[in-house]
Amino acid sequence: MDTFAEASQSTLSGVARVLVHAGKLNAKAAEELVRVAKNKRISFIASVVAAGAVSPADLAHTLSNALALPLFDLAAVDVKRLPRNVVDTKLASQYQIVVLGKRGSRLFIGGADPTDQEAVERIKFATQLSPEWVVVEHDKLAKVLETTTTSVSETLDSMAASDFDFDVTDDVTSPQEAAELASEVEDAPVVRFLQKMLIDAINARASDLHFEPYEYHYRVRFRVDGELREITQPPIAIKDKLSSRIKVISRLDIAEKRVPQDGRMKLKFGNKAIDFRVSTLPTLFGEKIVIRILDPSSAKLGIEALGYEKIEQDRLLKAIARPYGMVLVTGPTGSGKTVSLYTCLNILNQPGVNISTVEDPAEINLPGINQVNVNDKAGLSFAVALKSFLRQDPDVIMVGEIRDLETADIAIKAAQTGHMVMSTLHTNDAPTTLTRLLNMGVAPFNIASSVLLITAQRLARKLCESCKKPADYPREAMLKAGFKESDIDGKWKPYRAVGCSSCSNGYRGRVGIYQVMPITEEIQRLILAEGTAMDLATQAARENVRDLRQSGLIKVRVGVTTLEEVISVTNE
């Protein structure tokens, strides 16, 4: 090959380079065909076949041999039997591919240009499968695409008729949003991707979805059973369209990307409607979006499903049945405090009871309860809402969180004046909650006379019933974890996580671990004497109040979770 030809070949890529290397075209002819394809806005392969430079059959055989890929004759297959609705028809037409089959996470796609990496990335993004090329002849592929391609409007109609849809009837508040929504609906891959991620998250029992942009990649993670898992890495170019799509259906400002925003959206999943709380956060490389799944049915499971032991459940039910006083639920973020509170509210939610809640924001929609969202910009704080509640003839008041002395004072006064008040605090256990209120500035007498019961809680992953196996822990390890000598009597067996197709690393779902501490007369005396958290914990232990570790070890003993999991969530 002369110097000119070598230089020309070095500027070629993909199919053109393969054909030149195989001797089917010279470099000059290949460059001319590339120029023709560019001018006519067609593929290089289409220009080669149109010019008669290489026959479709010869072209397919050459690519198959050069790239070591299988060759498939489309004339030998019934087009009607090819898989449908796996790849959007608009996408298949754009990249000139046809789906030949699917096996597990592998997707076999037929195409005349197996060097098209952009097609692979777009199909991988749209289907969440791993595409594998099969070489087919260009002319036969064109005939198949002609018979299988439907219009974009038909594709969107089929999507709208499926068993899920976004409820956005009240979400478009301006012509700008309407135009943006129309634009995004036309981008079927973005719509499909978002719907698929939300439905996958629901099916995976995820509590949150994270859409995270970085400098060179974009990733999606689900939080399942308290653990974040990376699900996929779509093309980074999709981040702005995906962000706009989520903002439109969440009634957020599409143009505002400099400050955080909060919104809500709803997904119709068959006959079930699920709410989502949306939070955006400007980062260095785009907006990170976190979507919290808010399933109202979680508050209606019943207190038995939460994991309370019999004595703890009885203490809690007895406290909330009182006509007035305060019940506090404590624990870190994500420990299930809201579900516990709403389970109690659901028990109290009767026709003759007036219940009001103030939250930031309301996560679970429960009919029959008056729910208020905090709005700091408008001056609606926890304290302001509480003052208003007291003029609304309430029986039960729920405060999302006691954050300051003003809120604490109003809540305690409400509990002292004939109202049942429920709230949360972020403390490690029940005894430290009382010292936290003292440190806020609440008078010891007010605490002792108003607080009825404090529940501290954590969430531990439950063992999968299908695959859990007996475990052999060293006796020393079990004693160190908190078991007594008398507990290790050989009459029971701990279990370990294994892992199977129906669970995640041996775990499926979560169960609560609780410390339920009633405020008895002895504990009231310690509060009035401004006793330390250690003094309170010692007295609680004398009154048979289990701490979180002891409650967790009971779950290990009955085979609900593992020793490692209990140590992890109760390791203060």
Side-chain angles (χ1 to χ4, degrees), residues 390-427:
L390 295 176
R391 296 189 288 271
Q392 291 278 319
D393 185 30
D395 297 303
V396 180
I397 296 172
M398 195 272 269
V399 185
E401 183 185 350
I402 294 178
R403 297 176 178 173
D404 52 50
L405 178 59
E406 184 183 11
T407 305
D409 270 339
I410 299 171
I412 283 173
K413 286 173 184 175
Q416 292 171 335
T417 55
H419 307 93
M420 170 55 66
V421 179
M422 300 180 186
S423 189
T424 71
L425 273 89
H426 288 92
T427 56

Side-chain angles (χ1 to χ4, degrees), residues 421-455:
V421 179
M422 300 180 186
S423 189
T424 71
L425 273 89
H426 288 92
T427 56
N428 290 331
D429 58 18
T432 56
T433 304
L434 295 170
T435 56
R436 171 73 184 280
L437 290 172
L438 289 169
N439 292 337
M440 273 187 185
V442 181
F445 172 79
N446 285 333
I447 299 173
S449 62
S450 60
V451 180
L452 300 175
L453 177 137
I454 302 173
T455 295

Side-chain angles (χ1 to χ4, degrees), residues 475-476 478-480 482-490 492 557:
R475 191 179 188 87
E476 296 74 19
M478 297 181 73
L479 291 171
K480 185 178 180 182
F483 282 110
K484 299 175 182 176
E485 284 282 358
S486 58
D487 294 330
I488 313 172
D489 52 13
W492 60 278
R557 186 164 182 163

